[in-house]
Structure formats: C-alpha cells, structure tokens
Amino acid sequence: MPMRTPASASPGLRWDIFCRVVDNLGDAAICWRLARQLANEYSLAVRLWIDQPQALSRLVPGARPGQIQDRVSIECWRDDDPRLSLTRSEQLADVVIAGFECELPAGYRHAMTSRRPVWINLDYLSAQAWVDTHHGLPSPKSDGLTEYFFFPGFTSESGGLLREADLIDRCERFDRDPSARIDFLRSLGIDAKPGERFMSLFCYPDSPVAELIDGLKAIEGQVSAATGTPENWQLLIPEGIAPELSVRRGVRRVPFVSQTDYDRLLWSCDLNWVRGEDSLVRALWSGRPLIWQAYRQTGEAHRPKLEAMIDRWLKDAELPDPAATAWRKAHTAWNTAPDPASRALITAALPPTLEQLPAIAAGARRWRTAQIGQSDLARRLVAFTAGKL
Ligand code: TRH
C-alpha cells in the first residue's frame, strides 16, 4: 500500500480498534481493512482488539493474536483480560474506535475518563438519507466523555467508503493483463475455456440458489446480447457458501479465498453476487455488475436499507431503462422471503438482467469513476479525529 500522510495525520499516534464479532465475517472484515489501511497509509500505530480471532484468520490466513501482521498488532479481546480490566491511562490509545456500536471493555472505558482519547463509534454502512445528518454527531456521556458517530456512506457528507489508495490501480492493472485473470482462476482450480463467462456467488444460507441455477439453465446456449456468442455461464461458489449444492455443469466450487484474493475473484468475474457490507463495497470498486443481498434483520429492518442502496446506485450510475428496471427487479427477487413462491422470482428476473448486462457494466464503471472523486473512509476518519485530538 502506498504511504499517504496528509497534513491532518500525525504519524505514530496510537489507535485502538475494538471489534466484537456479532455473526458472519463483516465485523472482522471491515475492522481489519480499516486497521490495515490506517497503519500502512498513515503510519499510525494500530492495535486491533478482536473477540473472535478465528473470524479474522479465515480472511487473513495466519493472522493470530499476539502477532503483528501488515503493521497491525492483533490482540484477542476477552472481557476478563487483565490487560483490559485494569487498563492504566498511559496504556490507552489516542484514538479509540468501537466497531459497530460495540461496548468497550469496562476497565478500558474507565481509564478513558482521565486520558480522554478521541472516541469514535464506527457504524454500519447505509445509503439512507439520515446518514448525512447523523454522521459526525457527538454523544456526550455523564462521565464527561464524548462519543462521536461515524457513519460510512455514499455521499460527501457521510463517512465515505473504505478504499485503499492503490485499489483502483491494482484492479486496472489486473484488467489490462489477460493472463492475470487466467492465472488467478487457474490457482483456484478453474481452467477458463473460450466463451465461458463467470459469476461469483457469496450469499446467505437460505438464498434461492437452486432457482438462480434454473434461470441460468433457461438461457444456456442462447445468443448473448453482450457477447454475440452462446450463453455459457460458470457459477463460482466458495467453499462453505450454499453447501447444499453439488458440483454439476455450470456450477464450480472454488476455495474460500483470502480477503486479498477475494478482490481478484471479483475482478475475474462478469457478474458478482455479494452480501452484507464489505463484499458489497469491494464489488462496487471492482467496476463490474453486481447483485447485492442485504443482511436480513428482524422486522424487515433491512428493506429500507436495500431500497436506499438501489436508488442511490441507480442515480449515481446514471443507469437508463430498461437496464435500471431489470437491475431493480433482480434485487427484489434475490432479497425475497425464503418461501417457495418468492424463491422462484429470481428464475424470471435473471434473463432480462443478463440481457442488460452490458448497460449495467457501463453503469458500474460510471459509478466508480464518479465515486473515486470522493475521499475514502480512512482519510475522512483521520481528518475527523485530527480536529478533536
Ligand atoms: O459476512 P457478511 O455477511 O457480514 C455481515 C455484514 O457485514 C453485515 O452488514 C453485518 O451486519 C453482519 O455481518 C454482522 O458479509 P461481508 O460484510 O461482505 O463480509 C464478508 C467478508 O468475507 C468480506 O471481506 C469478503 C470476505 N471473503 C473472503 O475473504 N473470501 C471469500 O472467499 C469470500 C466469499 C468472502
């Protein structure tokens, strides 16, 4: 990663990031990505405290508590850890990040009252309009401390999106070198044949994957509007995702790759099915078409989040109809309740989406070009905290 030290960053400052893994991989994925970027691009001394280090080691092979990896000190966080329950103020960082509203360890929190570090609550990503008015707000506490809400988002008024300084260059270099894609796919056990196109699939357990495969079967051999050749899609599914599916024609298992290689997987595909938060952001930066599955929440709380993301992307990507309608319908179908009638929606939504793929791909590139002009999340966070130190 190239070093990037804007005037507002003070190299050597200590940052502690606390990550409590709720479920899945997103909490560990995002905290790690941020920690790595702060340490490497801003020369900050970063400690990542994580309560379930095994979630991190799935994404970053070899990452273990007590180690420094990629300039980040990784520490296992247990509530009864004496280092945390009796923290002395001089052991505190200058900036403390509580990942996704997690409660800080009591001893650490107590020590904060004397040293008063900048305290940030890094929240989940949303494209909803309220993010712009809530981002950066202080939440004063009765003990005199102030917590600041930092909301990732898609606008210049929000906290922005995570993006390493060299990400787009690396992606474009990969695109310019056809052998990079072939070699990478080969490293996953896939020998790409002429005419084959690839989709990656990362989804939640009860997704209508069998119905998606039915949709692919329905168009197999038809002349593709995108390539002028017969449709020949290969669905690449990392180990552990949709485990009920057996390997069959058009369905290929690939290993669950490292976070770094996951970018290459996205860059190797013509369409990516992504979920949650971090894989969505990576797929957006890939400049390729994607279909997103929102993390399902009780009371359908994810619905407004999904609608807001769809609306914002369509606007920023300036996607015209009929591509916009096809893309929206694919999202509605892929994010349905898991009952039999709703599951079948994706079978019908897939062919028009694939027909519109060239237009959707052009929109994805437009979205990326427009968004690159905005500063990234780490940069905004460094600037935000610098004003409070
Ligand atoms: O695992 P997720 O569903 O995480 C979710 C979301 O973050 C959600 O917003 C949050 O509320 C919930 O957790 C608790 O999806 P996400 O965010 O995309 O994180 C997955 C990470 O896994 C991402 O960094 C990509 C990475 N990954 C790999 O490194 N290798 C792989 O092979 C695959 C499929 C994914």
Side-chain angles (χ1 to χ4, degrees), residues 22-27 29-30 33 58-60 100 124-125 201-202 204 238-239 241 254-262 265 274-280 282 295 297 305:
V22 178
D23 64 1
N24 301 316
L25 298 163
D27 310 285
I30 292 158
R33 208 181 276 295
R58 277 194 80 190
L59 306 168
V60 188
F100 312 111
Y124 290 105
L125 169 67
L201 180 72
F202 183 36
Y204 290 112
E239 284 301 338
I241 310 304
V254 293
F256 187 96
V257 291
S258 69
Q259 208 180 44
T260 311
D261 276 348
Y262 185 63
L265 179 61
V274 290
R275 74 180 204 192
E277 180 167 331
D278 192 54
S279 56
L280 164 66
R282 303 314 278 187
Y295 176 73
Q297 289 169 280
K305 213 170 164 172

Side-chain angles (χ1 to χ4, degrees), residues 92 96 104 107-117 119 145:
L92 290 179
V96 178
L104 295 172
Y108 193 97
R109 172 78 177 72
H110 178 72
M112 281 164 64
T113 50
S114 51
R115 190 156 192 267
R116 295 174 172 270
W119 177 14
L145 286 173

Side-chain angles (χ1 to χ4, degrees), residues 201-217:
L201 180 72
F202 183 36
C203 61
Y204 290 112
D206 55 4
S207 310
V209 182
E211 289 78 359
L212 166 66
I213 294 170
D214 289 344
L216 285 174
K217 275 210 198 105

Side-chain angles (χ1 to χ4, degrees), residues 355-387:
E355 200 173 300
Q356 294 301 322
L357 214 54
I360 298 170
R365 288 191 294 274
R366 272 195 299 276
W367 180 92
R368 185 169 79 172
T369 306
Q371 281 282 334
I372 296 171
Q374 288 196 29
S375 59
D376 65 87
L377 188 148
R379 195 177 181 83
R380 293 185 203 192
L381 189 56
V382 166
F384 183 84
T385 55

Side-chain angles (χ1 to χ4, degrees), residues 71 78 92 100 109 156 188 200 225 232 242 248 283 297 348:
R71 299 190 187 199
R78 288 192 338 263
L92 290 179
F100 312 111
R109 172 78 177 72
S156 50
L188 301 182
S200 74
N232 181 0
R248 59 186 99 155
Q297 289 169 280

